Amino acid sequence: MAEKPQVRGDAPPTPEETERDGRDDTATSAAEESSEVGFGKGGRRTGTSADALPDVDGLGDDAPPFWRRIAAERWGEGRFGLAMGGIILLLGIALTAFQLWIALRSGLDARQQRLMHLMLVMLMVFIIMPPFKKSTVEGNPVAYVAGAVLDLVMVVATVVVSFYPIVYQAELARRAGAYTDLDWIMGLVAIVVLLEATRRSVGLIMVLLVAAFIYYAWIGPLIPGDFGHSGVTIQRISTHAYLGNDGIYGLTLGVVVTFVFVFILFGALLSKTGGGNFFVGLAYVLTGRMVGGPAKGAVLGSALMGSVSGSAIANVVTTGPFTIPLMKKVGYKKHDAAGVEAAASTGGQVLPPIMGAGAFLMAERLGIPYADIVKVAIIPAIMYFALMFLFVDILARKNNIRPMEGDEIPTFAIVMRAGWHFMAPLILLIVLLLNYVPPTQAGLAACGALLVVAMLRASSRLSLKDFLEVFVMAARSTLPVSVACAVAGIIVGMVGLTGLGLVFSDVLVNAFAGNLFMTLVMVALASLILGIGLPVTASYVVLVILAGPALEQLGLALIVAHMIVYWLSQDSNVTPPVAFAAFAAAGIANSSPMRSGVSSWKFAKGLYLIPLLMAYSALMEVDGPVIDLVMAIATGSVALAAGAMAIEGFFLRRTLLGERIALGLSAALVLIAPEWSGWTESLLSVQVSPDWFIGAGTVAGIVLITLQVVNHRRDKAKGLVAPLGQEQPKAGQTVGTAPEESSKDVESSKDAEAAETTESTKA
């Protein structure tokens, strides 16, 4: 049976999960209409102040253990399903315990750690994830038997290829570069097994992409032009991917083993102890009474959860079951509610302290501390969520959506009393990371602190069953991440063998005559295409080895180039036709996946606009002059606000066509000011400093936004604007009057004005 998106990490949902019937947004099921969404209405009861918090998972105390649920999805509820659940439990405990052991004290070298980690991961993949679709197996005993045989073969092959380099480590080291036939055959088997695990956990497109890179390495002499090369034999491909330093067990997988898993464990602990409930509740207390309060609560809640989970889809399915129904309850359309949640959850992958796995890869590839990544990432991430706040505010005003009532949310004191202790581990984690404590040690310290504070409160105390669930949840969440990073290592190896990265970068630079803007556009398009089949981590790895050198040649600092690629690689979560986080949110909202994808793409525009500020402004120069950084933030914020208003065609009131064009132009003047300077020089032979374009765009944006505010206040003073949630007056009607009364008042005022004019004329 296909697995649910709740447990897919950053892997795409299956077709069964994403297909919907495209029903109208006004259609709701009877169960949905009758269900009550709010604080203190979850399925669990602890008898403590924590009952005032939202129950974001909604499972209740009588839910079966996590390992039983994921086993039942594939193997059913019978005895065999129970036995497979036990195996999943043992593997989950083994993987998490192994990771804790190597983090605390390990006598294994890095390669042995990666071999054992990937072996346990692939064993879980082959047991949890079916080889065929449910529709293929049901009623077809041949397909069922074939699937069982394939599983058995994959399990045995996984164990053999994992232990072979460990058992014969000394012999393999002695004959490095002169491998035997058995060595490369074992490598070929390892590649096939990994590709099958990739097909199940990530998707077929990733398999085809890896196969294409291998094929390119093999047929190099037959390729004409710049992309041709001398070619690589199958034996060389196999041993390089299996036994080389840049293959399956290379740096990309090593980052997951060394850093990422600890933070996945932290997220699982936070979810199980109720920390997620607290952060979502805190977000709604802070934003609930604002315009668009439920959507802003979803943005802030997803930001808080995403900053410690590092997975967009995991964030959606954690906070979405609470935030999406609340947004729908106050009037947001289904697809907009899903889009807001997906875009906000995607932003969690760019928000410190715990960003996505790609951020740890970035630190390793650049050879800098993770704390330096955090420092340069924090300001762009805050700007992303500020832009999302503006989008949902505009949407609330545009659709006349009321704020939440005072009795719909608890007070700040109640929420803090219920979960204040969850703040301590997060603060500790931030402090340790910013003080350059290695991420693994910082993550372990945060896990320990979270465990201590959770055990001090009855509402968050963990039982033995809860501990086991945390172990399995952490192991299950790492499956798609680990497999994607391992298979991405094959691509990295093939690029290194063939020199494709340098060739691709030279072609990209020469094709646009060194134009940075067009190169960024091509990188964004490439990211969109790769995102159709790759999770964001793998997309970042592929893009950065191909396009990173080109961006560096065009004058960008290495960390800026990597950060731009990292941001652009997030678009697979929110950009149709493949929008993984949006599709998961659509399943919760009961909305059309494609309409939800379009909404999330609109709300996540910061993924495309903010990288332009990274490339053309001082936004990333946190160690540079303070005035330059402040100006970059100020002018960039105005440009982003103007761009949001131009996209929506609304702010406090509907914008006119000319006003909308002017807003878009003012944003463009700031975002790509150096390009305007170059175009002016090439077309008019006049040299104009980019600062003039930034100033002009900023001033124009401020003036246009100010006009919106002034006109809105004037209309409000005249009684032409009703409070949100009430019917807005029509033309010629004022607030609190019926249309007939309003028209009579207008006619009488016209008669009075005419009489006054007549009298003055006579005088």
Side-chain angles (χ1 to χ4, degrees), residues 377-395:
I378 185 66
I379 293 175
I382 292 174
M383 293 178 73
Y384 175 89
F385 283 103
L387 181 61
M388 277 215 64
F389 259 68
L390 178 59
F391 264 119
V392 297
D393 186 278
I394 292 173
L395 189 67

Side-chain angles (χ1 to χ4, degrees), residues 205-497:
I205 295 180
M206 182 71 176
V207 175
L208 296 177
L209 182 66
V210 174
F213 273 89
I214 294 175
Y215 184 66
Y216 170 78
W218 182 50
I219 66 162
L222 303 179
I223 300 176
D226 294 336
F227 288 96
H229 58 90
S230 58
V232 185
T233 64
I234 292 296
Q235 291 84 350
R236 175 69 172 141
I237 291 172
S238 175
T239 54
H240 187 78
Y242 181 49
L243 301 172
N245 294 326
D246 294 328
I248 296 171
Y249 305 103
L251 177 65
T252 52
L253 179 61
V255 170
V256 179
V257 177
T258 307
F259 303 126
V260 177
F261 189 90
V262 173
F263 293 102
I264 292 176
L265 178 62
F266 180 75
L269 269 173
L270 191 68
S271 175
K272 196 62 185 175
T273 55
N277 299 348
F278 166 69
F279 286 122
V280 173
L282 181 62
Y284 274 90
V285 167
L286 296 175
T287 64
R289 294 173 177 82
M290 298 179 181
V291 174
K296 290 177 180 176
V299 172
L300 184 57
S302 295
L304 292 172
M305 279 300 296
S307 67
V308 293
S309 74
S311 171
I313 294 180
N315 198 4
V316 166
V317 299
T318 300
T319 60
F322 181 80
T323 60
I324 290 174
L326 269 180
M327 283 188 276
K328 291 165 61 179
K329 182 180 178 181
V330 299
Y332 282 91
K333 295 178 181 178
K334 291 181 180 182
H335 61 272
D336 283 335
V340 168
E341 175 60 39
S345 296
T346 299
Q349 292 210 138
V350 300
L351 179 64
I354 304 175
M355 302 162 68
F360 294 96
L361 281 169
M362 190 189 310
E364 286 296 299
R365 294 187 67 88
L366 294 176
I368 61 176
Y370 179 72
D372 290 345
I373 302 293
V374 169
K375 289 179 180 179
V376 300
I378 185 66
I379 293 175
I382 292 174
M383 293 178 73
Y384 175 89
F385 283 103
L387 181 61
M388 277 215 64
F389 259 68
L390 178 59
F391 264 119
V392 297
D393 186 278
I394 292 173
L395 189 67
R397 297 178 187 277
K398 189 176 182 179
N399 296 326
N400 194 29
I401 297 172
R402 68 172 178 86
M404 294 176 70
E405 301 293 338
D407 58 353
E408 292 180 306
I409 50 178
T411 63
F412 179 78
I414 291 176
V415 172
M416 289 303 295
R417 189 185 312 128
W420 62 269
H421 56 297
F422 291 115
M423 297 295 294
L426 186 60
I427 294 173
L428 174 65
L429 177 63
I430 294 172
V431 170
L432 291 177
L433 288 175
L434 292 181
N435 281 278
Y436 292 93
V437 174
T440 303
Q441 296 180 21
L444 285 173
C447 288
L450 176 57
L451 193 58
V452 169
V453 299
M455 299 304 284
L456 295 177
R457 302 286 298 272
S459 60
S460 56
R461 194 170 296 143
L462 299 180
S463 64
L464 176 60
K465 172 191 167 185
D466 294 330
F467 272 110
L468 297 179
E469 286 214 48
V470 167
F471 274 40
V472 180
M473 288 168 63
R476 179 60 183 83
S477 296
T478 198
L479 299 187
V481 180
S482 296
V483 171
C485 287
V487 82
I490 298 178
I491 296 178
V492 174
M494 296 306 102
V495 170
L497 279 177

Side-chain angles (χ1 to χ4, degrees), residues 62 90 569:
D62 57 346
L90 291 176
S569 67

